Structure formats: C-alpha cells, structure tokens
Amino acid sequence: MRSDRVKKGLDRAPARALMYGAGVPKSSMDRPHIGICSSFTDLIPGHTGMRDLERFIDKGVHTGGGHGFIFCVPGICDGISMGHSGMHYSLPSRDAIADMIECVVEAHALDGVVFLSNCDKITPGMLMAAARLNVPSVIVTAGPMLGGSWRMKRRSFITDSFEAMAQCRAGKISAEEMEGLEMNACPGQGACQGLFTANTMACLTEAMGMSLPGCGTGIAGSGNKRRIAFESGVQICELVRQDIKPRDIMNEKAFNNAVKMDLALGGSTNTTLHLPAIAYEAGVALNLDTFDKFSKSTPHITSINPGGEFYMEDVDAAGGIPAFQKRLKPLLEDNITVSGSTIYEIADKARIFDEDIVRPLDNPYHKEGGIAVLKGNIAPSGCVVKQSAVNDDMLVFSGKAKVFDSEEAAMAAIHADKIANGDVVVIRYEGPKGGPGMREMLAPTAAIMGMGLNKVALITDGRFSGGTRGPCIGHISPEAAEGGMIALVEDGDVININIPERGIGLAVSEDELRRRQARWVKPEPKVKHGYLLKYAKGVSSAADGAIFKRD
C-alpha cells in the first residue's frame, strides 16, 4: 500500500508514534489509510450538513476495512461573494483546492480518498486533484437544497433573491415582499435548487462515473444521502484493493459522456471551464469545440430552473442521473465507474418516473444541447452561451454596445436606468487575467431580467453563474487584458449575435480596428499583491479552461 511508506519498518517508528498520538490504533497499521477530504464550513448552506456526512463516510470506510482520516479544504460561496471584490477569489480557489489536496495526500501517503464536496469551485477542484494524483477516489456531493416556499408558491435562490432585488429597486414589489422572499428562498442545507454550477457539476461527476449512482441529485440532509455517503466509504476500500484509479475511469469516454449529459440537462456554462481543467489533469484533450460538436447532436431533454420549471428535487424523484443515462444510452459510451457497474449497466437498471422531466430523445425541449459555442471577430478563440435559457426571439440579435470596464460600472449604469432594450451591454477586463479571477456576472444579468429588459444582450470576458438566463454570452476569448478584440469595442458599435449559426461579430471595419489597436494601452494590473497576483500571472485563457499549464 502507498501508506506503507509512512507506517512500515523501523525507520517509520517516529511516524507511527505521531499517528498513535493522534489516536490511531495499532491494528490500523495494517489497514488502508483513507483520506476523507471534507469541505465543511458554516459559511455555505451547501456545506453546513457535512459533519453528518463525514461521520457516515467514516463508518463506511471502517466497515470496508480501512481507517479514515478527515482533513479539510476551504470553500467559497459564489452567492455570498457575488457582486463585490470577493468574487475575484471564487474561480482561483478551484486551483488552490487542488494544490492543497495534493500536498496532504502526497505528504501522508494516503491509499485512497473520499472527497466530500458540493458547491461551485470545490467539486471541480477536488476532481482536478483526483485526476492529478491518480489515487483511488470517490466523490460524494452533499446534495441539492429543497425548494423554498413563500405565499404558497415554491421559491428558488436566483429568481427570488437576485432577480427580486431588481424588482424591489424598480418598485415592482414591496420591501416587505422582498424580506419574505430572502427569508424563504433558501430553506436549509444544500446546493441552490436549480441547475446552477454546483448541481451541474454534481450531476456530471456522477455521469463521469466518479460518484455512486444517485449521488448527483440525492437531496441534502436526506437518509438517502447518508446511505450514499456510507456506501462510498465502503467502496473506496474496494477500489484500493482492486487498484482502480481515477484515470482508469476519467478517460476520453467519460468526458464525452459528461459533456453530452451537460448538454442534455442544460447545465451551467461554467462547465466549459471546469471539464477542460479536469481533463487536463487527467491527460485527456478537451476543448470548446467538443462542446459545440456534441451540442448539435445531443438534444436538451429537460427543463430545470433557472431556465425551466423543474427543481433538482423533481429531477431526483424522476429517477436522477441514471434515468438520463437510460434516455441517452444511444449517445453514451460504456465505461467503468467507481460503483463497480458500467455506465450501460446503470442505464439498464434505471427507471424513469416522469416523461416530462426526462423526455425521450425524439421529443426534446430543444433539438440542440443547452450550451452553444460562438466564434467571430470579437471572439476568435470562442465564447459560450446557455442557449437553452434564451428566448427564441433573442437567438438572433443586433444591438448597440454600451461598454463598461468593470462589473461595478455596469451595475451603476443599470441602476441609473441607462440601459435600454436594444442595447448590448459589454463588460470587459473581467477575464481570468484581467479580473483577475473571472468574476461571475450574475448581479448584472439578474438586474436586467428583474427590470424587465428582455431585449438586452450582455457579453463579457468574465463568466456567468449557472443561475443566469437570457442572451448572456461569456468567456469572450482572447480577453481584454490580453489585447483581445473586446478591448477595442466602443459605445455605439453594432454587435451582431446569431446563436443558431454560432456567430458573434463586431460590425466595425478592419481599418478602424487597426487604428484602435494602435491606440490601445495595456492597463495596469488591478491587483498587485497576494494570491490573485500569482494567479493572474500564471492562468491561461478561458478557452483552455483557465488552467495553469505545466508545459
């Protein structure tokens, strides 16, 4: 076992003495040493229930014949950090989490790891670490939150807080109504109720085969989630015995399956950052072109909040990810999973309990997948849009640019009623390097939707929350800070968007663009100290997944 390097032989007597000091019994020196990497924190509702799940994982590890060791990594709540300088740290935390896990697992020579995750950047950070370390691993996502309730109507976080905030500011709802919504939109533990980034990544982790069946949609705080946690602890010991490692599972077939599941569900555009980053660590080539290729042949077969009507609790009741694997089986590739069953075996055993939540392939909500990749002179390396959340009358749109060099400047203009239907809001210098950290633009998009501006598009070199809906196009690459075309846009320029044709273009002559390029001056870095400075110097383009390349 890997752990023999810290527990066997005369030379390891000091290490054993320290482990005995931590309470490890002598009998456990012959057991696999299993890390339980928890992201428990009181700061995030998606993670507040993890102390309970840690206990059930540890019980499972002991039952399976191992000895569990809990260690922790931090977590950031995108909803709480949204709309201010804290959001600079969200995406960078993904890579910090992967690095911290590498340090602990390698330093303590752990034989296997159960990763306990839930929210936006923590799950991909843990998957990146699993792929990089290639030590037997299982992911347990803590589960989605149940829907809230206010005035006998089911409520959700994005619609009933971010968008309601704009309605309150516009006088469409009262302060009393706003308080009622904010008190009831998030009723307890779990990841926000819709197919935002956290729940999207939980579903795709299961679709890749790195979680047990049912884990991706199993409700937070439920007995079912406890059982999944326990069985994951048992199963990690079996994976160690069989020497089944993450890269045995996370191969090209697994990533193709994950992308197709993402498109069928209509998941968050953040997956176009996270799946390529995980694939990079696994040694698998994955880029934006893969998303677009599969989008044209993978139908969108459900309608989940925020772009649709169903909540994650509905998806779970309808059969969860196995039900979607059953539907998508003709499009998926068979592959092994951490459960011991293959993708096809899981699909064959699955049951579909609602034909509207999990529609047949020949009766989809949309013929194409949820995400589209656009290219054009303003984004030669590509940009992404959640096309399943765009109204049909905005799939093709031309408008005049209103340009802002930060999210704060855009929000000030929106609040001052300076944005009108027919505009294309351009928010730049918010990319991985320029932000730094590629902040989510949920606050501007929610404000626009809440104010009823349904004929406004927004483009940015930043990114969007999984809760964003409408014609919002992110990840414009190259970004403004690298001299990308988005840095040259001026107020009044016409921007043409054609999602069905996968096009986006700035209607300005080449001669004029050359003149603007000659005048452009690279701006001073916004941050000149700390982790964000280091991040900005090393991070790659959003088109690559905003990763730290080793070559």
Side-chain angles (χ1 to χ4, degrees):
M1 291 184 284
R2 274 170 48 94
S3 58
D4 286 350
R5 73 180 73 159
V6 299
K7 68 187 185 187
K8 296 292 185 181
L10 179 61
D11 290 344
R12 298 284 79 81
R16 288 193 298 273
L18 289 165
M19 284 187 274
Y20 292 144
V24 178
K26 187 175 180 181
S27 59
S28 287
M29 294 304 170
D30 294 320
R31 291 172 173 254
H33 284 190
I34 305 298
I36 301 170
C37 179
S38 174
S39 49
F40 165 79
T41 173
D42 285 330
L43 289 166
I44 313 175
H47 294 239
T48 55
M50 287 184 176
R51 285 291 181 241
D52 186 50
L53 294 179
E54 291 168 5
R55 192 162 60 96
F56 277 85
I57 294 169
D58 200 23
K59 286 181 178 181
V61 169
H62 186 79
T63 300
H67 187 99
F69 298 86
I70 298 171
F71 68 97
C72 294
V73 294
I76 288 175
C77 178
D78 280 27
I80 294 172
S81 62
M82 191 78 65
H84 60 91
S85 60
M87 179 48 72
H88 288 294
Y89 288 90
S90 174
L91 183 59
S93 74
R94 179 192 72 179
D95 300 83
I97 286 166
D99 291 347
M100 283 184 279
I101 292 168
E102 176 187 347
C103 292
V104 174
V105 173
E106 292 289 38
H108 291 266
L110 297 173
D111 297 302
V113 187
V114 179
F115 294 96
L116 179 54
S117 180
N118 215 21
C119 287
D120 294 21
K121 309 308 171 294
I122 302 145
T123 300
M126 288 182 169
L127 283 164
M128 289 167 66
R132 184 190 302 174
L133 292 164
N134 205 30
V135 172
S137 302
V138 177
I139 312 292
V140 178
T141 46
M145 182 188 295
L146 290 170
S149 180
W150 171 244
R151 298 190 187 277
M152 299 303 295
K153 182 179 177 181
R154 191 160 62 162
R155 305 293 183 170
S156 74
F157 170 58
I158 300 297
T159 304
D160 297 298
S161 61
F162 274 95
E163 293 184 15
M165 178 175 61
Q167 293 173 337
C168 183
R169 181 174 279 109
K172 295 180 179 180
I173 62 174
S174 67
E176 179 187 8
E177 180 73 4
M178 185 70 237
E179 183 179 4
L181 290 170
E182 69 181 68
M183 290 294 294
N184 292 281
C186 298
Q189 64 172 278
C192 303
Q193 305 99 330
L195 199 62
F196 315 142
T197 305
N199 287 322
T200 300
M201 285 306 305
C203 291
L204 301 193
T205 301
E206 182 180 336
M208 277 193 287
M210 288 300 294
S211 291
L212 296 187
C215 186
T217 60
I219 302 301
S222 66
N224 178 46
K225 184 60 74 173
R226 285 177 164 185
R227 290 189 293 273
I228 289 170
F230 177 86
E231 294 298 338
S232 296
V234 173
Q235 189 61 17
I236 188 63
C237 298
E238 185 62 25
L239 294 174
V240 170
R241 281 189 285 271
Q242 295 185 29
D243 196 30
I244 296 175
K245 299 174 181 176
R247 291 186 201 170
D248 298 326
I249 298 168
M250 287 196 285
N251 50 34
E252 184 177 2
K253 293 185 291 184
F255 285 102
N256 288 345
N257 288 342
V259 171
K260 291 172 185 176
M261 182 64 70
D262 187 15
L263 297 165
L265 294 173
S268 166
T269 53
N270 280 314
T271 59
T272 64
L273 294 171
H274 299 325
L275 288 179
I278 299 161
Y280 178 77
E281 298 290 354
V284 176
L286 178 65
N287 55 37
L288 287 178
D289 292 336
T290 302
F291 284 83
D292 203 47
K293 178 181 73 173
F294 289 142
S295 183
K296 293 172 182 175
S297 58
T298 306
H300 175 226
I301 60 173
T302 190
S303 180
I304 306 172
N305 181 276
E309 60 182 301
F310 304 120
Y311 285 34
M312 291 306 296
E313 61 202 74
D314 304 320
V315 176
D316 190 54
I321 294 305
F324 284 91
Q325 289 170 320
K326 191 177 193 72
R327 278 285 192 248
L328 294 170
K329 186 180 174 184
L331 304 179
L332 301 180
E333 301 173 65
D334 203 14
N335 197 31
I336 65 170
T337 74
V338 294
S339 71
S341 298
T342 69
I343 295 293
Y344 284 1
E345 289 169 345
I346 293 168
D348 289 340
K349 292 177 184 176
R351 298 177 66 186
I352 298 169
F353 295 104
D354 190 298
E355 296 285 320
D356 208 29
I357 296 175
V358 191
R359 283 194 178 182
L361 298 181
D362 60 0
N363 183 34
Y365 284 89
H366 300 96
K367 292 182 179 179
E368 292 189 352
I371 292 174
V373 177
L374 314 183
K375 292 187 178 181
N377 65 350
I378 199 171
S381 298
C383 56
V384 297
V385 60
K386 192 173 184 176
Q387 64 173 342
S388 58
V390 180
N391 290 337
D392 289 345
D393 61 353
M394 288 296 288
L395 291 171
V396 178
F397 180 73
S398 293
K400 292 187 176 181
K402 294 280 184 69
V403 184
F404 306 96
D405 287 348
S406 70
E407 178 189 6
E408 289 82 1
M411 285 298 291
I414 294 168
H415 290 160
D417 294 325
K418 294 182 178 179
I419 304 301
N421 282 322
D423 289 339
V424 178
V425 176
V426 179
I427 305 178
R428 61 192 180 190
Y429 296 107
E430 291 286 5
K433 290 181 179 293
M438 203 178 183
R439 291 192 290 177
E440 288 184 347
M441 301 293 123
L442 176 58
T445 61
I448 288 168
M449 294 300 294
M451 293 172 71
L453 296 171
N454 56 6
K455 294 293 188 291
V456 171
L458 192 154
I459 71 171
T460 180
D461 54 7
R463 58 193 179 87
F464 292 114
S465 161
T468 295
R469 57 193 178 103
C472 303
I473 299 166
H475 307 197
I476 298 279
S477 300
E479 62 175 289
E482 293 188 302
M485 184 77 73
I486 192 173
L488 308 182
V489 182
E490 296 181 357
D491 284 340
D493 287 348
V494 173
I495 295 174
N496 300 311
I497 298 166
N498 190 322
I499 295 173
E501 297 296 327
R502 303 296 197 262
I504 182 168
L506 179 64
V508 175
S509 71
E510 291 295 323
D511 287 343
E512 174 60 19
L513 290 174
R514 279 193 289 270
R515 284 191 288 270
R516 294 182 188 181
Q517 182 71 61
R519 297 195 301 266
W520 180 75
V521 177
K522 186 178 179 68
E524 285 288 312
K526 294 179 184 177
V527 177
K528 299 181 180 180
H529 65 279
Y531 178 56
L532 290 179
L533 175 61
K534 181 170 71 172
Y535 181 86
K537 287 182 176 180
V539 70
S540 73
S541 167
D544 300 325
I547 58 177
F548 289 85
K549 294 186 175 181
R550 292 184 289 273
D551 47 12

